[in-house]
Structure formats: structure tokens, C-alpha cells
Amino acid sequence: QVQLVESGGGLVQPGGSLRLSCAASGLIFSSSGMGWYRQAPGKQRDLVARIGWDGSITNYADSVKGRFSISRDNAKNTVYLQMNSLKPEDTAVYYCNGYLPRYQWGQGTQVTVSS
């Protein structure tokens, strides 16, 4: 069974940075594309960024381009999301999942951007 454990969220001021981590188990991580998704209160869960199995392909939602960066460490079965220049509208619960969200969702990690 695939398990996804997100961490690294918190409260940050506008303009600040956070680095999220997602530890994956139960899948062949080194050959799996991965993605970060987020869900704000009262809204649907949306894709934020995706990364191919070897890190050579990445794509981002327009709203985070130039501010967020997705990366992975296949030796650690971990995918990261570096978030810079955070805005209040980035406030959400962040989740990781596959390149397409086909696994059971983890608990997510809360990111709150507020002064």
C-alpha cells in the first residue's frame, strides 16, 4: 500500500519561504512521477507542480511559476516543494501524490501565509 507523508508546513509571513517534504513508501519511487497539490478552504484540490521520475521534466501551475520549485531525491524516496515569495493566496493544505493523483491521499501539511 502506498503511503505518503507530508511535512514542513507552517505559518509564514507574506514574502517568506517554506520547504515541504513528502516521504513515499510502497511504490517504486525512482520510476514514479510525483506531484504536489493543494486545497484551500472551500475550494477544490488543485495541482501545484509535477516532476518526472528522474527530475528532468517539471511543470507548474501558472499561479506559482517562478516562485515554487519541485525536486526529488530518489535515494530517499522523497519529493520536495521549495516555496518562495509566498502570498496569502498560497494558504492551503498541501498534499503530494503521483504525477496523476492515483494514490490514497496523505494527511497533508498546512501552509498559512499571513502577517
Side-chain angles (χ1 to χ4, degrees), residues 60-79:
Y60 299 89
D62 287 344
S63 59
V64 306
K65 281 181 181 176
R67 300 188 298 121
F68 290 12
S69 178
I70 188 171
S71 62
R72 64 189 297 155
D73 185 337
N74 285 349
K76 296 182 178 179
N77 284 13
T78 300
V79 61

Side-chain angles (χ1 to χ4, degrees), residues 9-101:
L11 173 64
V12 62
Q13 292 186 342
S17 297
L18 283 173
R19 188 194 194 203
L20 307 184
S21 300
C22 170
S25 60
L27 72 164
I28 304 176
F29 184 83
S30 60
S31 61
S32 301
M34 297 297 293
W36 281 98
Y37 304 79
R38 67 185 181 187
Q39 187 169 22
K43 296 190 177 181
Q44 67 180 18
R45 194 171 302 180
D46 291 327
L47 174 71
V48 175
R50 294 189 296 193
I51 186 167
W53 65 273
D54 64 351
S56 62
I57 296 174
T58 58
N59 52 66
Y60 299 89
D62 287 344
S63 59
V64 306
K65 281 181 181 176
R67 300 188 298 121
F68 290 12
S69 178
I70 188 171
S71 62
R72 64 189 297 155
D73 185 337
N74 285 349
K76 296 182 178 179
N77 284 13
T78 300
V79 61
Y80 304 98
L81 185 68
Q82 178 67 43
M83 306 187 296
N84 299 326
S85 302
L86 282 160
K87 304 176 181 180
E89 51 263 44
D90 295 317
T91 295
V93 180
Y94 284 71
Y95 303 86
C96 69
N97 210 297
Y99 204 79
L100 295 175

